[in-house]
Amino acid sequence: MTISNAAPGKDVSAEDLVSKFPLAAKKSPDHVTRFSVRGVEFGGPLIPVMAGPNTVENEPMIVETAKAVRDAGGHILRGGAFKPLTFPYRSEKYFEPREQGLEWMAKARDASGLPIITEVMSTETIPAVAAVADILQIGTRNMQNYPLLTAVAKTGKPIMLKRGFGASLRDWLGAAEYILLEGNTQVILCERGVVAPHTHRGSSRFLLDLQVVPAAKEVTHLPVVTDPSHATFWRPWVQPMALASIGAGADGIMIEVHPDPSNAAVDPLQPVDYAEFASMMKAMDAVARAVGRKVLV
Ligand code: PEP
Ligand code: MN
């Protein structure tokens, strides 16, 4: 086997590429995985934008958001139905829509024509989520839930693997290897911020690790995307970090969009509204074109 990178970074060795994650490892400099999700290609010149609310709050809001995302040029609708909420208490506003949220997502997909991505948190709920989702999301907290990874891989659906917020690149690629080992080759890696003692702002729990984008792309052929909404936890920083991600070589972007951001049921500090999203799409497209890619088609 020829390894393109004789001297990989400090946490990934040349030996790891051969014996720990041979399926995730890049075999030559131009080895890149490309695949399409209902017509949206990952790994090619397009930088797909996955956008929508944190949580699917009700049917009209997700249908309306889906149309706004589509009309602004967004490619894929995001929305959480099964949610890894940090605190266990629920209220009328702060809740997990679960199966009902999946039904609302399916309605939004039909109304907008956009493919959808949503999180799967447990093996029992895989059939319900896989019946609706075009891409299955594994959240940061489940990156190393190996039985879940193996079971999700077996659906044959594309999988977006969010990086654990304390995981090294080596751990992340090890987790991707569990999915690839099941014969599922449609894996997207998503950097969503890592924990750090210093985060620039009291409410910001994470730092977007922009450097991991080129670092990952040196050693793996899989598409690497970022989620600046979860990483920054702070609306004014989402656009700058989205643009920086594209400059750094990201193969896709996940953005939280909400019809009324400050009243979002979950994480109200991070979503942008429709107008901000539309202008962000144009800015992302301009940066993408400067690096030989595109966001708007
Ligand atoms: C999400 O995307 O809704 C989410 C919970 O993200 P993360 O797993 O990165 O916290
Ligand atoms: Mn969140």
Side-chain angles (χ1 to χ4, degrees), residues 17-196:
L17 301 178
V18 179
S19 63
K20 297 291 194 286
F21 32 82
L23 300 173
K26 202 166 189 162
K27 306 293 189 292
S28 64
D30 58 357
H31 179 197
V32 171
T33 282
R34 292 168 77 146
F35 56 86
S36 290
V37 180
R38 291 186 43 222
V40 178
E41 192 186 44
F42 282 84
L46 179 73
I47 299 175
V49 174
M50 300 170 269
N54 186 302
T55 302
V56 188
E57 295 171 22
N58 56 60
E59 186 183 322
M61 82 78 83
I62 192 65
V63 168
E64 186 198 273
T65 306
K67 290 178 181 165
V69 165
R70 177 200 62 197
D71 293 349
H75 308 94
I76 294 174
L77 177 69
R78 73 146 275 147
F82 289 93
K83 291 292 309 166
L85 296 171
T86 303
F87 304 103
Y89 306 109
R90 301 290 183 266
S91 65
E92 208 173 303
K93 191 168 177 193
Y94 185 77
F95 73 111
E96 213 191 335
R98 301 176 65 91
E99 286 83 357
Q100 191 169 45
L102 295 176
E103 281 171 35
W104 294 333
M105 280 297 269
K107 293 244 169 74
R109 178 195 55 206
D110 295 346
S112 65
L114 294 179
I116 61 180
I117 176 166
T118 196
E119 178 160 355
V120 58
M121 286 183 51
S122 62
T123 46
E124 314 87 77
T125 55
I126 291 173
V129 179
V132 170
D134 298 292
I135 305 175
L136 298 164
Q137 173 170 321
I138 299 289
T140 193
R141 294 161 186 80
N142 270 322
M143 186 201 85
Q144 290 177 305
N145 182 341
Y146 303 119
L148 179 65
L149 298 180
T150 299
V152 166
K154 287 182 172 141
T155 63
K157 292 249 172 174
I159 293 167
M160 187 172 89
L161 179 65
K162 285 191 138 187
R163 180 185 181 191
F165 49 63
S168 65
L169 173 57
R170 188 171 188 258
D171 295 343
W172 194 15
L173 294 174
E177 192 80 4
Y178 272 85
I179 300 169
L180 297 166
L181 191 59
E182 297 305 316
N184 188 330
T185 56
Q186 300 183 314
V187 180
I188 301 158
L189 299 171
C190 179
E191 156 61 27
R192 49 77 69 213
V194 292
V195 288

Side-chain angles (χ1 to χ4, degrees), residues 54 83 205 230 233 256 266-267 270:
N54 186 302
K83 291 292 309 166
R205 289 189 285 168
H230 277 88
F233 205 60
E256 280 193 13
V266 177
D267 295 346
Q270 73 198 28

